[in-house]
Amino acid sequence: MNKPFTFEQIYQQNKRRIHYQIHRLNIDDPHQEFFQEGLTAMWHAYEKYDPDKGPMATYFNYTIRNRLLDELRKQKREQDKQHTLPIHPQQEPQTPHHTAALTDLLLDNHQLCNKLKSYLTEKQWKWLKYAILQDMPYKDIAIQESTTTEAVKSWGRQARKKLFTPAIYQLLKEI
């Protein structure tokens, strides 16, 4: 398809849109990483633009903003991964060695147990107590608590999310 303007002309006319979106999203961009993302988004928008679907400016704004939001989310996920404990449930499967070490630590330290309990909901604490400390199968916990096995697994997932946070990591370092 033959375009009426070159990308260079489009860039010169619309580069302020990228800066506007960066400013609007309160992004600090000292190394121009987000500007480059916005420029790439503008290029893709220029390539895919269909005049029958609406104004080019609206399409540019939409594409640039969403690409910047995607990049923000990506950086946030990477930052969150860096602030987790070394033994993260999604990175390394929990081995019997880790479970045994946690069990020994909790059984020997009632003060730590009480602090951890304050971070967890009642159901998450029940999961920790039965599944980790008492090594009960999920099915038995579900029967005892009059719920489903899937519910018990969900308690465990939520508890692990809370247990692998910087606050808990700091708490364990203090011991």
Side-chain angles (χ1 to χ4, degrees), residues 25 27 29 33-38 64-78:
L25 293 169
I27 298 172
D29 194 25
E33 295 167 1
F34 286 93
F35 183 81
Q36 291 299 320
E37 277 299 316
I64 292 167
R65 179 177 174 79
N66 285 325
R67 180 71 65 90
L68 293 175
L69 286 170
D70 288 346
E71 184 62 25
L72 277 173
R73 288 184 193 111
K74 179 182 168 189
Q75 287 188 7
K76 175 73 170 120
R77 277 192 309 270
E78 289 172 4

Side-chain angles (χ1 to χ4, degrees), residues 53 81 91 104 109 119 126 160 170:
K53 292 190 178 181
K81 283 181 185 177
Q91 293 172 348
D104 292 342
N109 194 332
Y119 282 96
K126 286 179 182 179
R160 282 190 295 274
Q170 185 63 37

Side-chain angles (χ1 to χ4, degrees), residues 105-151:
L105 186 63
L106 290 173
L107 289 175
D108 294 340
N109 194 332
H110 295 290
Q111 184 179 7
L112 174 63
C113 252
N114 290 333
K115 285 185 180 181
L116 283 178
K117 192 174 185 177
S118 69
Y119 282 96
L120 302 173
T121 65
E122 182 181 338
K123 291 178 180 180
Q124 292 165 356
W125 176 252
K126 286 179 182 179
W127 169 83
L128 181 71
K129 183 173 122 184
Y130 297 130
I132 301 299
L133 297 178
Q134 297 177 7
D135 202 23
M136 280 177 67
Y138 286 173
K139 187 175 181 179
D140 293 347
I141 299 170
I143 292 168
Q144 180 175 332
E145 294 298 319
S146 303
T147 189
T148 64
T149 306
E150 289 304 313

Side-chain angles (χ1 to χ4, degrees), residues 50-68:
D50 181 5
D52 297 335
K53 292 190 178 181
M56 183 182 271
T58 303
Y59 187 55
F60 279 173
N61 285 337
Y62 172 82
T63 306
I64 292 167
R65 179 177 174 79
N66 285 325
R67 180 71 65 90
L68 293 175

